[in-house]
Amino acid sequence: MHIAILGAGITGLTLARTLSLGLVGRGGGPIRISVLEGQGRVGGWVQTQRKSVAGEDAVFEQGPRTLRPSGPAGLRTLRLLGDLGLAEDVVQVGKGAPAARKRYLYVQGRLLRLPASILDTVKASASGPLKGLVGSVLREPFIPGRPRDLEDESVQDFFARRFPGADGIQLAASAMMHGIYAGDYRKLSVRSCLPSLWEAEGRSGSLVRGMLLSGSKATTEEDEARHALKIHYPQLMEMAETSAIYSLRQGLSGITDALNQVAIQSPIVTMRPSSPVTKVILDESKAKVMDADWVVSTLPGPSIASCMKGSPGNPIPYTTPYASVAVVNMAFSQRVLPLDPAFGYLVPVREGGDALGVVFDSDALPSQDGARQGGLNRLTVMMGGWKFKQIFGEKPHPDDVLKKARRVLKEQMGIVKEPMAHHVSIQCQCIPQYEVGWWDGMRQVDEWLRSSTGAQGRMAVCGAGWGGVSVNDCVQGAEKVGHALLDHLKGKTFSGASPTLPLTGLERFRK
């Protein structure tokens, strides 16, 4: 039995670890795992640069920078960190820290602090961009629920329907979609991007009432994850209860580096960097990728579609669009921010401009400044997203990107000082856009993966393009697919033609 994993990002590496732990020494015939990665490095969009700044090793993150220690997925990731021996490297931001409580929107040419308490919300609702916020929330339970035949809608339309005339909620929603998806909330699907809100309204006909009814009740899955973490890594469980966000002292690449070492040391896993997959042929007996029996792809839908040209059967019926992001990390020798410590700010769609948002890295994670804590000021400017080509064209030069980032800092915060160090990265097609219709598209792909006229039961998928863009989502998705495969392989001996895959990775879309 040979399993090929396409992609060595956080998803592919976690899947390889999960399978290796369950299969080494199992008996029942040899099983091999090959992990194919097109780049010369592993980690995917988890990319940490450690830059020497004034003699210190400062952390520049070009991809995700912080994780949330909450929910089943967040607790799974913490358990993984414990298993990898990374618990001592965790640096946290407490729930009461400025970086947890102070976040801003850039609105009407100034930075507007978002409410962090009920009292703050009441005050903000009295005047300014968030005027009328409290009244809109109080009226929401009396607005009719969604039509029965409405299967999806945009984030903008959802909030307009539930909170008519609430301009402040629209501002916050569009900014949030910039921060998470680098996407346009007028196109993104509320059912897919904010499923808990969609489900809350579905339960009771009201978003507010549905959220109040669900309260803070944990699911069985979350209870199990919490119990396991508390038993094995009580210090991480304690951290989860007191933290808003966290990272690693040397950056999140520490996770993918550790997972890569686990894979390299496994007797049944072969890592193949610099091995781009250009063709995948699936038939009823084999997956012609490294002569594998099964393929689990963490690649985006468009990549799968390109690789499978010429494969028997119908083409993949839906591919998710992606957005590109320009990420500019900067470090200054002294504090340049015109604000007290905070996490950063996001820019709503209607403000226009180049920026999606700016993160105040030194405020959020000062321990990543090296020995010069308090002496450096690290910032990250994120630009482009759904409007990347409009801003930068096809192939922007890093110098031009840096100029635009510095212009953002000057125009939005009055920062004109030249950074001591900087790093520009163009993350092409990095964030999937779950647009209206995406949920139904995943349902179609699920059917295609199982169909004798599609992937013929030889391929499963997982990763950001298939259900959740966060690191936590990717870890959880990989572990679930891995454990499902292990359950299927338990006690079985394979000879001759291998059986079809018992799963697609998209089962939840059948509901």
Side-chain angles (χ1 to χ4, degrees):
M1 170 65 70
H2 183 197
I3 302 171
I5 299 173
L6 309 187
I10 185 74
T11 307
L13 292 169
T14 302
L15 177 59
R17 173 186 179 271
T18 303
L19 291 174
S20 178
L21 288 176
L23 293 174
V24 171
R26 65 177 280 278
I31 292 185
R32 296 181 294 128
I33 300 168
S34 298
V35 183
L36 286 77
E37 169 56 48
Q39 303 298 314
R41 52 170 290 278
V42 302
W45 299 116
V46 178
Q47 298 178 18
T48 306
Q49 287 280 337
R50 297 177 184 89
K51 202 98 169 178
S52 179
V53 182
E56 295 299 334
D57 209 18
V59 172
F60 283 174
E61 295 280 21
Q62 280 98 61
R65 64 200 59 246
T66 57
L67 307 177
R68 291 192 176 276
S70 56
L75 296 171
R76 276 180 181 265
T77 302
L78 281 172
R79 171 78 182 272
L80 174 65
L81 295 188
D83 290 347
L84 294 172
L86 297 173
E88 296 301 318
D89 198 32
V90 170
V91 289
Q92 67 184 93
V93 176
K95 292 179 179 178
R101 296 180 58 81
K102 293 183 181 180
R103 295 169 185 252
Y104 291 82
L105 298 181
Y106 183 75
V107 180
Q108 298 173 2
R110 65 186 182 91
L111 292 175
L112 172 71
R113 183 179 169 185
L114 288 169
S117 67
I118 294 176
L119 181 59
D120 287 347
T121 303
V122 173
K123 290 178 178 178
S125 185
S127 63
L130 302 183
K131 184 178 180 179
L133 176 62
V134 172
S136 296
V137 172
L138 294 176
R139 289 190 295 271
E140 192 274 344
F142 302 99
I143 293 173
R146 65 173 174 257
R148 289 187 176 183
D149 61 349
L150 182 61
E151 295 188 355
D152 200 358
E153 63 186 325
S154 71
V155 174
Q156 179 191 40
D157 288 345
F158 174 80
F159 284 108
R161 183 168 56 79
R162 297 314 313 165
F163 304 96
D167 192 57
I169 290 179
Q170 292 285 339
L171 286 172
S174 70
M176 178 170 58
M177 293 300 98
H178 266 179
I180 300 172
Y181 293 94
D184 183 351
Y185 86 130
R186 297 167 296 188
K187 295 182 178 180
L188 293 174
S189 157
V190 68
R191 182 179 186 181
S192 305
C193 296
L194 300 170
S196 62
L197 302 191
W198 178 262
E199 292 164 7
E201 185 199 14
R203 282 193 296 269
S204 65
S206 160
L207 173 58
V208 172
R209 193 161 54 238
M211 293 181 71
L212 289 174
L213 288 173
S214 63
S216 59
K217 185 178 179 181
T219 62
T220 300
E221 185 180 13
E222 183 171 354
D223 284 337
E224 291 174 353
R226 188 179 300 276
H227 179 69
L229 186 63
K230 189 173 184 178
I231 289 176
H232 294 282
Y233 304 105
Q235 76 277 27
L236 289 178
M237 187 68 251
E238 182 179 349
M239 187 277 291
E241 292 172 343
T242 60
S243 300
I245 53 175
Y246 72 95
S247 184
L248 298 185
R249 197 175 309 279
Q250 296 301 316
L252 292 183
S253 283
I255 304 175
T256 49
D257 289 345
L259 285 168
N260 187 42
Q261 287 304 308
V262 169
I264 290 172
Q265 293 166 12
S266 170
I268 66 170
V269 176
T270 302
M271 295 297 296
R272 295 183 178 276
S274 301
S275 300
V277 177
T278 58
K279 201 163 196 63
V280 176
I281 303 293
L282 304 177
D283 61 34
E284 60 184 12
S285 63
K286 279 272 187 194
K288 295 186 173 77
V289 180
M290 302 290 297
D291 198 32
D293 298 285
W294 293 344
V295 172
V296 183
S297 177
T298 71
L299 304 179
S303 297
I304 293 178
S306 176
C307 291
M308 291 193 65
K309 287 179 180 177
S311 186
N314 298 324
I316 188 169
Y318 180 91
T319 57
T320 303
Y322 277 69
S324 301
V325 178
V327 180
V328 182
N329 307 98
M330 290 183 256
F332 299 86
S333 59
Q334 61 189 54
R335 187 171 185 82
V336 293
L337 292 170
L339 303 166
D340 291 334
F343 186 82
Y345 66 88
L346 294 170
V347 183
V349 167
R350 72 178 61 176
E351 294 299 315
D354 301 338
L356 300 166
V358 179
V359 180
F360 306 160
D361 297 298
S362 289
D363 287 354
L365 295 164
S367 60
Q368 291 184 343
D369 288 343
R372 290 193 61 189
Q373 292 184 35
L376 287 183
N377 199 181
R378 289 177 298 119
L379 309 174
T380 301
V381 181
M382 294 165 291
M383 301 179 291
W386 61 276
K387 51 186 177 179
F388 186 90
K389 285 187 179 179
Q390 173 188 332
I391 296 170
F392 296 108
E394 292 290 341
K395 294 183 179 180
H397 192 280
D399 290 346
D400 295 331
V401 175
L402 177 62
K403 288 177 182 177
K404 287 182 181 293
R406 294 194 61 191
R407 187 174 66 194
V408 166
L409 296 185
K410 178 181 178 181
E411 293 178 352
Q412 297 183 355
M413 290 191 290
I415 298 173
V416 296
K417 187 177 178 62
E418 186 172 347
M420 295 176 64
H422 70 270
H423 185 87
V424 175
S425 55
I426 309 297
Q427 308 289 39
C428 294
Q429 305 294 296
C430 62
I431 304 181
Q433 303 293 288
Y434 302 163
E435 296 182 350
V436 174
W438 181 80
W439 190 277
D440 185 61
M442 292 300 99
R443 190 158 44 207
Q444 294 176 44
V445 175
D446 173 57
E447 294 173 359
W448 175 80
L449 287 167
R450 291 179 285 152
S451 171
S452 60
T453 59
Q456 305 190 54
R458 293 287 156 192
M459 179 186 288
V461 295
C462 57
W466 308 101
V469 299
S470 74
V471 169
N472 289 338
D473 291 329
C474 291
V475 168
Q476 176 171 258
E479 289 190 346
K480 284 187 173 182
V481 167
H483 288 302
L485 287 173
L486 291 173
D487 288 343
H488 184 70
L489 291 168
K490 192 176 296 181
K492 289 186 172 64
T493 300
F494 299 108
S495 60
S498 60
T500 57
L501 265 167
L503 76 159
T504 66
L506 301 177
E507 285 74 14
R508 70 187 180 98
F509 297 100
R510 298 173 194 174
K511 300 177 182 177

